[in-house]
Amino acid sequence: MSQLTGGSTRLRPLSGPASRTDLVADSIRDAILAGELKPGETLVERRLSELLGVSKTPVREALISMAHTGLVTVVPNKGITVRRLTLEDVRKVYEVRLLLEPWAAMATTGTGAPELLREAQDALNDAAGLLSSGHNNELSIANRRFHRALYSGCGNDLVIAQLDGLQDLTALGVVNLLWNRWPTWREEFVEHAEILAAVNDGNTEEAERLVRAHIQQSLTNLATAEQAKAQA
């Protein structure tokens, strides 16, 4: 059931150039990743436009763009819904991340950008405070911020854009699929701390190796789950 019928929500009237499609998309994306909009939930343009204080046109454009990145799905006779990921979907996400993210983390490490190191540390600190909170959506968002800080300085806009979309799907998948089977957020936090230590040291090869191993572990867990499902 949607949380949008009452209480706090991230879908509030937008300030600034509220007609811009990217601002609308960012707000809807935040609500999805925060768990306010659930997998399988139909996204009604009129309702979203009322919550955001914009016309239906930028909402429609935002939903179309999000369908291209895979966070929402066009369902015949139903409209656009929040994507309901399968184990196979998540496996494919991690497979592409495995191809791109270790290199991007290595390239970012080589730049030694202090602002990105601060962003990664801030995200890691936020995650530390959420480990025992039970707020897994917020924890997954903190993890997404951590990963983005590690790859966003790689210097390749195409890779960054691809990884941004993959990280959205990862955040959606870990809360609704992976962490239900493996509550591994503490282990992931330790791995993140090890990765950040290598990045802080400017050790590009170690940063690449640790990011690769981090993603590979999730793929191993997924393979186990898919095998168990096939044998059931």
Side-chain angles (χ1 to χ4, degrees):
M1 182 177 178
S2 173
Q3 298 182 13
L4 300 183
T5 55
S8 177
T9 175
R10 294 172 187 246
L11 292 172
R12 302 186 183 95
L14 299 173
S15 59
S19 63
R20 292 180 56 190
T21 299
D22 55 349
L23 288 179
V24 174
D26 285 345
S27 186
I28 297 172
R29 181 184 300 106
D30 287 347
I32 292 172
L33 299 184
E36 295 171 3
L37 296 168
K38 303 293 186 182
E41 182 172 345
T42 300
L43 301 176
V44 181
E45 291 179 11
R46 178 185 56 78
R47 177 59 175 154
L48 291 172
S49 67
E50 291 173 353
L51 288 167
L52 293 169
V54 298
S55 70
K56 290 194 293 184
T57 298
V59 172
R60 184 179 306 114
E61 292 172 349
L63 292 176
I64 291 172
S65 70
M66 294 171 71
H68 291 156
T69 63
L71 197 58
V72 303
T73 303
V74 179
V75 180
N77 302 319
K78 190 174 182 181
I80 296 180
T81 68
V82 178
R83 185 169 180 180
R84 192 186 300 277
L85 294 169
T86 65
L87 287 174
E88 182 181 6
D89 292 330
V90 180
R91 174 176 54 78
K92 291 176 180 178
V93 167
Y94 276 94
E95 286 173 344
V96 181
R97 283 183 59 194
L98 191 62
L99 294 173
L100 298 178
E101 198 165 339
W103 170 84
M106 178 185 67
T108 299
T109 301
T111 68
E115 68 279 5
L116 294 178
L117 294 178
R118 286 194 297 270
E119 289 175 16
Q121 186 64 63
D122 288 345
L124 193 66
N125 292 343
D126 288 346
L130 291 165
L131 290 175
S132 300
S133 69
H135 298 154
N136 285 349
N137 288 94
E138 293 182 26
L139 179 56
S140 74
I141 292 171
N143 287 348
R144 185 196 183 286
R145 287 168 45 218
F146 175 82
H147 279 275
R148 192 177 197 283
L150 296 186
Y151 65 70
S152 60
C154 71
N156 188 317
D157 291 342
L158 294 176
V159 171
I160 294 169
Q162 183 74 7
L163 285 172
D164 281 348
L166 293 170
Q167 282 294 335
D168 286 345
L169 294 176
T170 297
L172 188 64
V174 294
V175 172
N176 294 288
L177 286 173
L178 297 190
W179 284 349
N180 291 336
R181 292 169 169 81
W182 301 280
T184 57
W185 48 84
R186 292 186 182 276
E187 291 88 344
E188 293 177 38
F189 176 82
V190 172
E191 292 169 5
H192 286 173
E194 293 172 346
I195 292 168
L196 185 56
V199 174
N200 277 319
D201 290 341
N203 191 334
T204 57
E205 291 184 0
E206 182 69 355
E208 180 184 26
R209 184 188 71 79
L210 289 172
V211 171
R212 186 177 302 280
H214 179 62
I215 299 171
Q216 184 60 59
Q217 183 58 55
S218 294
L219 276 170
T220 299
N221 291 342
L222 281 163
T224 300
E226 288 183 312
Q227 184 177 16
K229 183 179 179 181
Q231 293 174 349

